[in-house]
Amino acid sequence: EILRAMVRSTKVAAALGLGLLLSMAAFGLTSRKRPFNLRTFRNFVIQNAVAIAAFLLVIRGFSALVDAGAMTPSVWAGAVTGATIIVVACLGSLAVASANSRVNIIDDEVAADEMRERGRLLLCSFAWMIAWGLLLIVLALAGPAGLLSPATALVGALVLIAVTTVLGIAVWRLMDELDRTLSHESGNMACYLILMLGGGWAMLAHLGFVAAPTPLDWLTLLTVLMFAASFIVLGRRKLLMR
């Protein structure tokens, strides 16, 4: 009922957006390590304006799901995960595009130079993320009470799987030796996380302590653990410190 009220009320959605804006402003003004000047302030405003717009679009999308009566916990988790991936990928694509234009919203010049050098790889990676996020959303919208029929969702899912396959091959070819090493390590870490968390959930469900995960729950869990493994590997190699 709380989620229903949140996404159905325009005032609540606006309040959430304003709260998000104020929290990001407070965080940005209190934790920035770089000097405050006109350029950094412009970049800060642009980045957060795009984030707020994306946030409000997601809220509107969830209102459609609630109105259709399709907002179950599994659907909510899958749709939130897919929307989050898409928003992050779109923001990353915007950053890469800006680094190659006069309107550069990247304050760190080292990071901007790296984005220019690895632009094709980054854009292909972000495109892959968008396709995968859309796949989760399409599957979340499917079903007897969903907005899409199973047949329509299947066609869309097959197309998106083909797109992710092509983009995955392109990304692999653009990777250097370090990138491929990190990819292998992330895959190994993801396997351990799936065994511990996914296997633990299945064990508890088998023993009757919790509800069994649905197929959509498994897809969402595998997606979350895949990205979590990547962050863990990057953190272990201290590549997230910049």
Side-chain angles (χ1 to χ4, degrees):
E1 293 298 327
I2 295 176
L3 179 63
R4 187 183 298 271
M6 285 171 56
V7 299
R8 277 189 171 177
S9 173
T10 304
K11 293 182 179 180
V12 173
L16 287 173
L18 179 60
L20 181 63
L21 177 62
L22 293 176
S23 63
M24 287 190 296
F27 175 79
L29 294 175
T30 58
S31 64
R32 292 184 65 88
K33 297 181 180 180
R34 299 182 181 88
F36 182 83
N37 52 46
L38 183 60
R39 181 174 180 272
T40 57
F41 178 73
R42 181 207 64 179
N43 295 344
F44 176 77
V45 170
I46 293 175
Q47 293 168 2
N48 287 278
V50 174
I52 290 294
F55 172 79
L56 293 178
L57 286 175
V58 171
I59 288 292
R60 296 296 295 179
F62 274 93
S63 66
L65 285 176
V66 172
D67 292 338
M71 186 59 76
T72 64
S74 295
V75 170
W76 182 87
V80 166
T81 303
T84 301
I85 293 172
I86 292 174
V87 169
V88 171
C90 289
L91 293 177
S93 300
L94 176 63
V96 174
S98 70
N100 291 277
S101 65
R102 292 185 177 180
V103 186
N104 185 9
I105 62 174
I106 309 301
D107 297 330
D108 190 342
E109 289 300 329
V110 176
D113 291 337
E114 185 175 354
M115 286 185 178
R116 297 184 190 101
E117 294 176 1
R118 300 164 59 86
R120 292 179 59 191
L121 172 62
L122 292 174
L123 289 177
C124 287
S125 299
F126 290 138
W128 184 93
M129 291 174 60
I130 291 173
W132 191 264
L134 286 174
L135 175 62
L136 281 180
I137 292 177
V138 166
L139 295 176
L141 295 178
L147 301 179
L148 298 177
S149 66
T152 302
L154 178 60
V155 173
L158 292 176
V159 171
L160 289 170
I161 290 173
V163 172
T164 56
T165 301
V166 173
L167 290 172
I169 295 174
V171 169
W172 184 261
R173 290 181 176 179
L174 292 171
M175 285 181 173
D176 56 23
E177 184 177 353
L178 176 60
D179 293 328
R180 295 183 180 184
T181 300
L182 293 174
S183 179
H184 285 303
E185 292 181 359
S186 298
N188 292 335
M189 179 62 67
C191 287
Y192 288 115
L193 293 177
I194 292 168
L195 179 62
M196 290 187 297
L197 300 180
W201 187 0
M203 178 187 68
L204 293 175
H206 176 70
L207 297 176
F209 290 102
V210 298
T214 66
L216 182 59
D217 289 332
W218 274 112
L219 290 173
T220 304
L221 179 64
L222 293 175
T223 300
V224 172
L225 295 182
M226 175 179 61
F227 284 100
S230 300
F231 279 100
I232 292 174
V233 169
L234 291 174
R236 290 176 58 185
R237 286 182 171 265
K238 299 182 179 180
L239 297 176
L240 297 176
M241 301 301 293
R242 185 186 302 172

